[in-house]
Amino acid sequence: MPVINFRYSDLCSLIGKEVPPEVLAERIPLIGADMHQAESFTEDMSVEFFPDRPDLYSVEGIARALRAFLDIEPGLKGYAVEDSDIIAEIESPVLDVRPCFACAVIKDIVVTDDLIRSLMELQEKLHITIGRKRNKIAIGVHDLDKVKPPFRYTAVRPDEVSFVPLNKTEKMSLERILVSHEKGVEYAHLLNGKEKYPIIFDKNGDVLSFPPIINGSLTTVTVETKNIFIDVTGNDQKAVKGALDIVTTALVERGGRICSVKMVNGSSDRSPDLSGTRSSVSLKECSGFLGVDLSGKDVKEAIERMGMSASVKDDEVIVLIPSTRLDIMHKTDIFEDVAIGYGFERFGGNYRSQQTLGESGPVTSFSDKMKDAMIGLGFTEVTTLTLSNQKDEFERSGLPVKVSTIITNPITEDHTCLRSYLMPSLMRILRHNKHRDLPQRIFEIGFVSDEHRTVPHLCGMVASSRTSFTEIKSITEAAAREMAIGYKISPCGYRTFIEGRGAFVSLNGENIGFFGEVSPKVIIDYEMTHPVMMFEIDLSPVIDEKAGSLF
């Protein structure tokens, strides 16, 4: 989770009054954070916030939230946005590369070391979180007085433009930046396969930014900066707007004025748009959800304590949500804010005095019994992954093809689906241990996917210098006797087994398992060098018969 570092005196200055460190240490965690460092004898403080509150990733955001939460300035904080004659144009070549663009201007701001440090940290945290390491959004902050509007957001060929990137002294082409600049090397993959790269120019052709890689050195913000231009580019308009609003309002907390930019070919006529969104919830539903009988006044005060505004009419609560609150997407998010604003310390009641007893469920109890039985038969328990691949499950094993639960974006070709049988997983265990002494007797009781349903199976496997159908039949029957079921055995023609040396196990006329001597082809396909015999039984019909329907 993001850790925000700041000075105690800077926070108090932004809040507008001195709040004792012990009060901060007590109240900040109630918003949804963990205090890392907050001691009365030190200026430095660290707070780790939950990742659902990107509006609190800066000391400015924390100060705004605390003013409301501590009843210093409850309710929605309004920000005036003045019009300006600054224009930013989005040109068509960039639409196929990185199409979303939003920007804002902050004027008459006093830039301090605290501000620069906080701004850099806020940028980086937003890049990592909602920006998905700059894939969804990238933020640029520039000294407006170093460039001339109007600005152009376009795309150019890698060798077409050169400029001096941030923290460098010589000009580099876009192509060279990606291979020699540290930020270029780190984020070059975001532009893989692109024929043209995004770029932001001013009126004179000077480069402000090469998003999402690096800003130009020309527009570096320093303590001499008076006016700031903010750009946010990306692939998700909602994330781009949210990031711009968070950065803009954070800077205004330092005393600047927001000025809008006229957008040409953008998603809106002017940027930023800090107007909030309206939502309504039921007072009765909110009380029922939280388990507390809340009045309209209670809910209104709680919502205002969370930096929003609310009005209550009968059972309807109308909430105005600031544009920086990207975490509020559903009515339950509002209910959560009501709980936080109302105060967790006010929840509670008498605990139940009755003692209750817990016990294992039928599946667990039966599995534990069969594990003891298999260990008694001389087998060693193993636990394997529930992920497998269709080649191992059906082609190599020779087992019948079942409806597989496929993984949409598998990391490796060995893990493309949920397993349908335990047998392939145990064969892989034996393959990795074929250099060990024989015989090897292993078993597993685990879950498999059967037409997208999770069911428990038992599989036992023996690798030995010699195997026989009689031996695996006696092992299977011993396991079946422990299950106390009336089973029957019939021939099995699976190519998994040597012809004539495989059999089904059936219960109430339904095949629930199979056993036999594994065929040489299957053994070779699994890269094994010794004979193998095995059995596998679906335990769900057995448990179903004994404990009622569970599946």
Side-chain angles (χ1 to χ4, degrees):
M1 296 190 295
V3 177
I4 318 304
N5 303 291
F6 53 90
R7 293 188 309 110
Y8 168 70
S9 58
D10 189 34
L11 175 64
C12 290
S13 172
L14 290 165
I15 292 174
K17 64 178 294 187
E18 186 171 333
V19 180
E22 56 270 20
V23 173
L24 294 176
E26 177 188 352
R27 303 299 291 175
I28 288 179
L30 297 179
I31 304 176
D34 178 28
M35 296 295 296
H36 276 214
Q37 186 174 336
E39 300 179 14
S40 58
F41 55 82
T42 180
E43 262 279 278
D44 298 323
M45 303 182 75
S46 296
V47 182
E48 183 176 14
F49 274 100
F50 294 160
D52 64 337
R53 292 294 303 270
D55 59 307
L56 301 181
Y57 289 177
S58 66
V59 64
E60 296 86 3
I62 297 171
R64 177 176 56 226
L66 286 175
R67 283 200 303 269
F69 194 63
L70 299 177
D71 291 320
I72 298 170
E73 190 182 315
L76 180 67
K77 173 69 179 291
Y79 295 97
V81 180
E82 304 173 18
D83 287 340
S84 76
D85 57 357
I86 297 175
I87 297 173
E89 181 179 2
I90 304 173
E91 298 185 351
S92 56
V94 81
L95 298 179
D96 295 329
V97 183
R98 198 172 177 87
C100 302
F101 180 55
C103 47
V105 169
I106 307 295
K107 289 189 174 181
D108 302 329
I109 189 168
V110 177
V111 176
T112 63
D113 289 337
D114 284 332
L115 185 150
I116 293 174
R117 184 165 51 250
S118 176
L119 183 58
M120 291 176 61
E121 191 171 89
L122 175 60
Q123 277 184 273
E124 196 57 34
K125 298 229 171 357
L126 292 175
H127 283 158
I128 293 171
T129 53
I130 63 174
R132 298 297 187 268
K133 296 185 177 180
R134 302 195 187 186
N135 183 35
K136 287 179 68 175
I137 63 135
I139 304 164
V141 181
H142 313 276
D143 188 329
L144 179 63
D145 298 326
K146 301 287 183 63
V147 287
K148 299 290 183 184
F151 303 111
R152 293 189 301 122
Y153 178 49
T154 187
V156 297
R157 293 190 304 274
D159 58 351
E160 190 175 345
V161 172
S162 297
F163 69 100
V164 180
L166 197 63
N167 298 327
K168 300 295 179 182
T169 56
E170 62 174 320
K171 281 190 174 183
M172 298 183 181
S173 67
L174 308 187
E175 193 172 35
R176 185 183 168 197
I177 288 173
L178 295 186
V179 296
S180 60
H181 193 288
E182 54 271 19
K183 293 297 182 182
V185 173
E186 184 176 359
Y187 296 108
H189 65 280
L190 297 177
L191 297 176
N192 282 348
K194 306 294 185 183
E195 294 182 3
K196 293 186 175 182
Y197 295 162
I199 198 88
I200 301 175
F201 292 113
D202 77 342
K203 179 181 180 179
N204 299 327
D206 290 325
V207 173
L208 279 75
S209 179
F210 170 25
I213 310 300
I214 192 72
N215 288 341
S217 178
L218 174 65
T219 58
T220 303
V221 173
T222 68
V223 291
E224 303 296 326
T225 300
K226 304 298 182 185
N227 303 300
I228 291 176
F229 178 75
I230 309 165
D231 74 78
V232 185
T233 64
N235 299 306
D236 184 309
Q237 187 61 42
K238 182 180 179 181
V240 166
K241 180 185 182 305
L244 178 70
D245 293 350
I246 289 170
V247 174
T248 301
T249 54
L251 287 174
V252 175
E253 291 292 332
R254 295 282 183 177
R257 295 185 294 112
I258 307 175
C259 294
S260 64
V261 177
K262 184 178 180 181
M263 307 297 294
V264 179
N265 300 326
S267 61
S268 60
D269 293 335
R270 287 197 169 270
S271 175
D273 178 8
L274 298 178
S275 58
T277 56
R278 295 171 68 88
S279 181
S280 66
V281 296
S282 164
L283 177 61
K284 182 178 179 181
E285 186 180 1
C286 180
S287 296
F289 187 86
L290 298 178
V292 179
D293 187 14
L294 298 173
S295 67
K297 180 182 178 183
D298 291 333
V299 172
K300 184 178 186 300
E301 290 177 350
I303 289 174
E304 291 179 346
R305 205 168 282 128
M306 295 303 293
M308 300 181 286
S309 68
S311 60
V312 182
K313 184 177 181 181
D314 298 326
D315 185 57
E316 185 183 28
V317 181
I318 300 173
V319 183
L320 185 58
I321 305 164
S323 62
T324 54
R325 289 296 302 274
L326 308 184
D327 58 306
I328 298 183
M329 298 176 285
H330 191 268
K331 60 184 179 182
T332 54
D333 298 316
I334 296 176
F335 296 163
E336 180 187 19
D337 266 27
V338 171
I340 297 171
Y342 182 70
F344 289 123
E345 69 278 5
R346 299 170 67 182
F347 285 79
N350 296 327
Y351 290 101
R352 292 180 180 270
S353 58
Q354 304 97 319
Q355 291 187 353
T356 58
L357 298 175
E359 63 179 13
S360 299
V363 175
T364 303
S365 297
F366 190 80
S367 297
D368 289 344
K369 174 185 175 181
M370 292 310 302
K371 287 178 183 179
D372 290 340
M374 292 302 296
I375 291 170
L377 290 170
F379 284 74
T380 299
E381 183 181 10
V382 297
T383 301
T384 60
L385 292 175
T386 57
L387 297 180
S388 186
N389 60 85
Q390 291 179 305
K391 187 170 185 178
D392 272 354
E393 290 294 304
F394 309 121
E395 293 181 29
R396 290 192 177 103
S397 70
L399 295 172
V401 176
K402 290 185 178 181
V403 176
S404 296
T405 302
I406 304 299
I407 298 172
T408 303
N409 298 302
I411 296 177
T412 71
E413 61 182 12
D414 292 330
H415 305 114
T416 60
C417 66
L418 296 182
R419 63 187 179 187
S420 298
Y421 302 95
L422 293 180
M423 178 265 195
S425 299
L426 267 63
M427 287 294 286
R428 289 193 290 267
I429 291 288
L430 292 180
R431 181 180 65 200
H432 291 307
N433 289 275
K434 60 187 178 183
H435 60 289
R436 304 287 183 181
D437 293 339
L438 297 176
Q440 297 176 18
R441 301 161 69 92
I442 60 174
F443 82 96
E444 179 175 10
I445 297 178
F447 290 100
V448 303
S449 175
D450 187 353
E451 295 186 351
H452 311 304
R453 294 164 54 250
T454 301
V455 295
H457 275 208
L458 163 63
C459 182
M461 193 169 288
V462 179
S464 182
S465 58
R466 296 179 61 183
T467 60
S468 70
F469 179 78
T470 302
E471 183 179 355
I472 191 60
K473 178 175 179 290
S474 66
I475 292 171
T476 306
E477 289 182 324
R481 283 195 299 272
E482 290 294 329
M483 298 179 195
I485 56 174
Y487 65 92
K488 290 186 179 180
I489 294 175
S490 59
C492 171
Y494 292 168
R495 62 182 181 87
T496 307
F497 305 115
I498 299 172
E499 188 175 354
R501 300 186 190 181
F504 286 119
V505 178
S506 61
L507 175 65
N508 300 327
E510 177 186 358
N511 291 332
I512 64 169
F514 46 84
F515 65 91
E517 293 184 71
V518 179
S519 73
K521 183 180 185 311
V522 173
I523 292 173
I524 292 171
D525 285 348
Y526 278 104
E527 302 174 16
M528 294 285 294
T529 56
H530 300 291
V532 177
M533 51 187 177
M534 58 79 60
F535 76 92
E536 183 163 344
I537 296 175
D538 181 354
L539 298 180
S540 58
V542 181
I543 302 172
D544 204 26
E545 182 177 86
K546 293 181 173 298
S549 180
L550 297 172
F551 304 93

